[in-house]
Amino acid sequence: MNSKTPDFFGHPGGLQTLFYTEMWERMSYYGMRALLVLFMTASIQEEGMAITVASATAIYGLYTGAVYFMGLPGGWIADRLIGSQKAVWYGGIVIMCGHIVLAIPASWSFFIGLILVVIGTGLLKPNVGILVGQLYSPEDQRRDAGYTIYYMGINLGSLIGYFVCGWLQVNAGYHYAFGAAAIGMAIGLIQYRATIGRLGGVGAEPLLKMTPAGEKKSWTVIVAFLIGIAVLTFAMMTGMLSIDPVTLAQYVAVAITVVFLAYYAGIYAFGNLSSDEKRTLGALFVVCLASIFFWSGFEQAGSSLNLFGRDYTERMIGSFEIPPAWFQSANSFFIITLSPFFAALWVNLGKRMITPSYGIKCAIGLVIMATGFIVMFFAAQIAASGLKAAPYFLVATYFLHTVGELCLSPVALAAVSKLSPKRFAGQMMGVFVLTYSIGNVTAGLLAGGLDPDNLSDMPNLFWGIGQITVAAALVVGLLTLKTRKWEKLAEKKTFNHDEEQPTIL
């Protein structure tokens, strides 16, 4: 890095560039995402698509699952073909174009816009995070704090997106809200290009340069893939090919699960691992299992909980009507306010030589999230009786889900870093991301159980999700009784043998 580059809160100046790029990208992503199910289920008179809840939530699950899945090829393209800096730039442009297309009030624009956002996010999202880490040398102790600042940018952006796009949806219409998401991404791109010099040479070139022949072959495959997507989209839009979103989501969930299991098993069986590495990989599998079930429940935020906020929650405060999307901003608000508390909690436990195992922390996170669905069970009973539920039901649910997220999400990422065999660390992070995809697609399928024509079943939907989550927590907790000893193998590599080691619960 250039020594003349100004610092950003005591960190490399490039962190400021990435902070604002990610903030505005998340503004566009979450602002638009909060409206997807609402838009698809709204009537034609309300500028919506008037499709069923089951189909809408399945499409939503496919979309959010695809966003995470496309991060894998997006990272590969950056590492081998164009470098992270260009991947972020071109990804942002594609995202902006996707939002612009979504803002066009035409029957053809919706799915084309979604596909563009998925492709662009797959390029941008993983590579922004990689660039943050590359700003620091391996010995730099500021790295964790830098990621904390970066994480705050994500949540500030989501807050802006929820409030701006949510307000526009109610007061101007869906397409103006989608247009605002495009403007947000444009602002992010402008500041990225204006301050890219602060990154210096970080991520400017591919980490693993390919041979000319390999590069040509790779671009051929990429172009063929994009052409295939375009042909498939054209066939669906013209009626030449008819696809049931629910059935497609089911097949995709199974396919991603098979890829996850096959890749995991391949590394375990053919990775030439030592017996200790196999055991720590087994402990990591329990964390992956917890992650799948957690995101299957947590991602109800944009689907079933989103619909509940619009249709079955009292949103009038005096003469002011709360936009439905604003309820989702509670998660970002609680993360910003609670993150310091949880960071201090783990540090203080560590000082007392008590370090709960990764599996125990994940099980606790699952149980806490499940209590949020118990709250929704009672709220749904009110809605099923024909009344509107008070808004504090959703706020309480998002609070509990956020607490669960803070128990599980950062812990799971740390587990991937510590428990993965070092020579497979990058690949294992990619494999772990597949748990997000599986969880998101499954979440869309579960949310399809919210049938507006049969409100008496709504309490059972939330109660059932809560039961599944608790059952998963019990399984994870029981498995941890075995795998906690395997986690300790990773601890032995971190601490010297003559030092006192923390107790693993």
Side-chain angles (χ1 to χ4, degrees):
M1 292 293 295
N2 190 336
S3 60
K4 296 181 180 180
T5 300
D7 284 350
F8 183 61
F9 295 110
H11 290 262
L15 183 61
Q16 180 178 357
T17 298
L18 302 176
F19 176 93
Y20 286 113
T21 301
E22 181 70 343
M23 186 185 81
W24 287 111
E25 186 274 331
R26 291 290 92 179
M27 175 270 171
S28 70
Y29 176 77
Y30 283 109
M32 181 271 286
R33 196 192 77 162
L35 307 179
L36 284 184
V37 172
L38 303 181
F39 175 69
M40 286 187 280
T41 57
S43 65
I44 300 297
Q45 293 75 18
E46 298 173 315
E47 298 184 334
M49 299 178 68
I51 64 178
T52 65
V53 168
S55 293
T57 56
I59 293 170
Y60 172 84
L62 287 167
Y63 165 72
T64 53
V67 164
Y68 287 110
F69 187 85
M70 289 302 294
L72 298 177
W76 188 91
I77 289 171
D79 286 345
R80 289 167 172 79
L81 294 175
I82 62 176
S84 294
Q85 284 192 19
K86 290 180 181 178
V88 170
W89 172 247
Y90 293 125
I93 292 174
V94 176
I95 291 171
M96 182 183 68
C97 291
H99 290 305
I100 291 173
V101 171
L102 283 168
I104 300 173
S107 59
W108 55 266
S109 63
F110 182 73
F111 291 106
I112 294 177
L114 283 189
I115 291 171
L116 289 173
V117 173
V118 167
I119 294 172
T121 306
L123 275 174
L124 184 147
K125 179 63 176 171
N127 291 299
V128 171
I130 289 171
L131 284 171
V132 172
Q134 292 176 347
L135 292 173
Y136 303 89
S137 67
E139 300 79 19
D140 198 327
Q141 299 299 315
R142 298 175 297 170
R143 181 189 301 267
D144 289 349
Y147 270 106
T148 300
I149 295 172
Y150 166 76
Y151 197 61
M152 289 300 103
I154 292 174
N155 289 285
L156 285 173
S158 63
L159 275 176
I160 296 170
Y162 289 134
F163 276 93
V164 171
C165 295
W167 186 87
L168 284 171
Q169 177 255 314
V170 171
N171 294 277
Y174 286 101
H175 295 289
Y176 283 95
F178 294 146
I183 293 173
M185 189 66 256
I187 294 173
L189 285 168
I190 291 170
Q191 77 80 34
Y192 178 75
R193 179 53 62 182
T195 63
I196 196 171
R198 294 176 179 173
L199 296 176
V202 172
E205 298 295 332
L207 295 175
L208 302 170
K209 189 67 176 176
M210 303 181 70
T211 64
E215 187 172 336
K216 182 178 180 181
K217 183 178 180 181
S218 297
W219 281 118
T220 301
V221 172
I222 292 169
V223 171
F225 172 77
L226 294 176
I227 292 174
I229 292 294
V231 171
L232 184 63
T233 303
F234 177 80
M236 288 190 297
M237 294 181 62
T238 57
M240 296 170 59
L241 179 65
S242 179
I243 295 178
D244 175 34
V246 176
T247 303
L248 177 61
Q250 291 170 344
Y251 282 120
V252 169
V254 171
I256 299 176
T257 302
V258 169
V259 171
F260 165 75
L261 293 174
Y263 210 116
Y264 208 103
I267 292 176
Y268 185 89
F270 306 110
N272 195 26
L273 304 180
S274 67
S275 58
D276 284 353
E277 287 176 326
K278 287 184 176 181
R279 290 188 180 96
T280 57
L281 205 60
L284 180 58
F285 185 80
V286 175
V287 175
C288 292
L289 187 67
S291 178
I292 291 172
F293 281 95
F294 180 83
W295 296 111
S296 296
F298 184 87
E299 286 298 334
Q300 298 300 313
S303 49
S304 64
L305 296 181
N306 200 6
L307 291 171
F308 191 91
R310 182 190 67 181
D311 298 331
Y312 309 111
T313 299
E314 178 54 62
R315 293 189 287 112
M316 296 301 299
I317 300 179
S319 60
F320 177 74
E321 181 181 18
I322 303 172
W326 281 17
F327 287 112
Q328 295 181 63
S329 67
N331 173 246
S332 299
F333 173 78
F334 288 135
I335 283 181
I336 292 172
T337 54
L338 293 177
S339 289
F341 169 79
F342 274 85
L345 174 64
W346 303 133
V347 169
N348 288 329
L349 285 176
K351 290 179 179 178
R352 291 170 172 78
M353 307 309 294
I354 300 174
T355 304
S357 66
Y358 294 125
I360 290 296
K361 289 179 181 178
C362 289
I364 292 172
L366 285 167
V367 170
I368 293 173
M369 185 187 69
T371 61
F373 287 109
I374 295 175
V375 172
M376 287 308 302
F377 169 74
F378 292 108
Q381 286 186 320
I382 295 173
S385 70
L387 301 175
K388 296 275 189 177
Y392 59 72
F393 281 103
L394 275 177
V395 174
T397 297
Y398 283 124
F399 172 80
L400 292 167
H401 284 192
T402 302
V403 173
E405 179 186 5
L406 290 171
C407 286
L408 184 142
S409 184
V411 166
L413 291 172
V416 178
S417 175
K418 180 168 285 189
L419 300 179
S420 298
K422 297 306 177 187
R423 60 189 179 281
F424 290 107
Q427 293 181 63
M428 288 308 303
M429 183 60 76
V431 173
F432 179 74
V433 169
L434 293 179
T435 67
Y436 297 162
S437 290
I438 298 168
N440 275 264
V441 177
T442 304
L445 291 170
L446 290 173
L450 198 158
D451 185 359
D453 296 324
N454 192 5
L455 294 183
S456 61
D457 281 347
M458 191 192 307
N460 294 330
L461 169 66
F462 295 121
W463 184 255
I465 296 175
Q467 285 182 314
I468 293 171
T469 306
V470 170
L474 290 174
V475 171
V476 169
L478 290 173
L479 291 174
T480 302
L481 295 177
K482 178 69 174 179
T483 61
R484 63 182 179 180
K485 299 176 182 178
W486 300 345
E487 288 184 18
K488 207 166 185 177
L489 297 172
E491 294 291 343
K492 289 180 180 178
K493 298 176 183 178
T494 304
F495 294 91
N496 294 327
H497 290 292
D498 59 348
E499 293 179 343
E500 183 182 4
Q501 295 186 21
T503 302
I504 304 294
L505 298 181

